[in-house]
Amino acid sequence: MNLARGLERRLEKFADGASASVFRGTMHPIAIATRLVRQLEYLEVDSPAGPQVPNDLVVSMHANEVDPSIDREALTRELEHTITQTSLERGWRMIGAVSVDLCTDGVTPRGIIECTGTFVSTPLDPWAQLIADDGSAVLPVMYNRTLIGRDLDCDVRISNQEISRHHAVVLREGDRSFLLDLGSSNGTFVNAKPVSSEPVAVIAGDSVLLGDLSFTYRAIT
């Protein structure tokens, strides 16, 4: 879906379907969200699991850009939801829930949105699981890009010599899930087929082999 249209559909109810003319002299909520997403593109960094963006955001705007009749708390919630959904659609990794602190002042130039962000780890509900076929473990998949491996920095740490330090990544893009291998020594397989650095789609019930450790992939709706 076109990003602008997706934002419009999400925010039009909040803005009561109001056109830009209603917000004459101030910035339409859709414009705020769109510009915030563009700012996040500049804040994207590379991580072992792939592209990652900060989840704790401070957004600065000129005070006259925000319509005084708008519920600021509701706007913040909608921006947080929009960023969460956009990160899912883009396949961005976030290590915690999105938090937006909307600050207005008389210093930020009109028409400009400035955004700074930090990476703050917070618990998230798992969206998938890797269930060991021998019943020894249920591994939760919480992040859009969940790093699996033996190293301490992995989201899912498997202390087994068959597993590489950074072995594989489980990721979401939109409503689809994928698995990719990070050049592991003993390989990654989906339904007995080898996985490379190119993402391979996985669905509920698929067999996932990490080295010689066998799992079943389970999606959580």
Side-chain angles (χ1 to χ4, degrees):
M1 179 185 295
N2 177 272
L3 175 60
R5 182 55 185 156
L7 292 176
E8 182 179 358
R9 287 184 177 180
R10 175 62 198 163
L11 291 170
E12 62 187 4
K13 182 178 180 180
F14 166 72
D16 293 325
S19 67
S21 63
V22 175
F23 293 88
R24 185 171 291 123
T26 63
M27 197 174 292
H28 194 286
I30 294 172
I32 295 173
T34 302
R35 295 189 189 195
L36 179 53
V37 168
R38 289 174 181 165
Q39 285 289 305
L40 277 182
E41 292 172 348
Y42 291 105
L43 296 176
E44 179 185 309
V45 299
D46 196 24
S47 77
Q52 176 172 306
V53 294
N55 60 299
D56 194 24
L57 307 171
V58 177
V59 180
S60 299
M61 299 174 56
H62 194 283
N64 292 339
E65 292 278 39
V66 180
D67 191 302
S69 66
I70 283 184
D71 183 333
R72 293 278 290 270
E73 184 176 342
L75 174 59
T76 297
R77 288 197 304 268
E78 294 301 329
L79 291 175
E80 291 171 346
H81 182 89
T82 296
I83 295 303
T84 300
Q85 291 302 111
T86 301
S87 71
L88 175 58
E89 292 168 6
R90 298 282 187 90
W92 281 336
R93 170 180 163 87
M94 282 188 170
I95 62 171
V98 178
S99 174
V100 173
D101 182 10
L102 183 59
C103 303
T104 54
D105 55 45
V107 178
T108 306
R110 295 196 61 154
I112 298 294
I113 288 180
E114 296 179 349
C115 180
T116 58
T118 53
F119 302 92
V120 178
S121 180
T122 63
L124 295 175
D125 292 331
W127 54 270
Q129 294 173 331
L130 289 173
I131 303 172
D133 290 350
D134 64 3
S136 62
V138 177
L139 307 179
V141 177
M142 295 186 296
Y143 305 132
N144 282 5
R145 288 177 172 267
T146 292
L147 178 63
I148 302 172
R150 204 175 68 243
D151 250 11
L152 292 174
D153 65 345
C154 291
D155 308 311
V156 174
R157 186 168 179 257
I158 304 175
S159 183
N160 186 299
Q161 291 303 311
E162 281 289 315
I163 303 299
S164 295
R165 293 171 60 248
H166 291 163
H167 194 104
V169 172
V170 185
L171 65 103
R172 290 186 298 177
E173 289 185 0
D175 58 358
R176 302 183 68 197
S177 305
F178 300 88
L179 185 70
L180 62 89
D181 185 81
L182 296 176
S184 65
S185 298
N186 295 311
T188 302
F189 303 83
V190 173
N191 298 328
K193 295 181 180 179
V195 176
S196 68
S197 58
E198 292 296 319
V200 171
V202 287
I203 61 174
D206 278 349
S207 172
V208 173
L209 194 65
L210 304 173
D212 65 354
L213 304 181
S214 182
F215 300 87
T216 297
Y217 178 81
R218 174 176 179 260
I220 300 175
T221 56

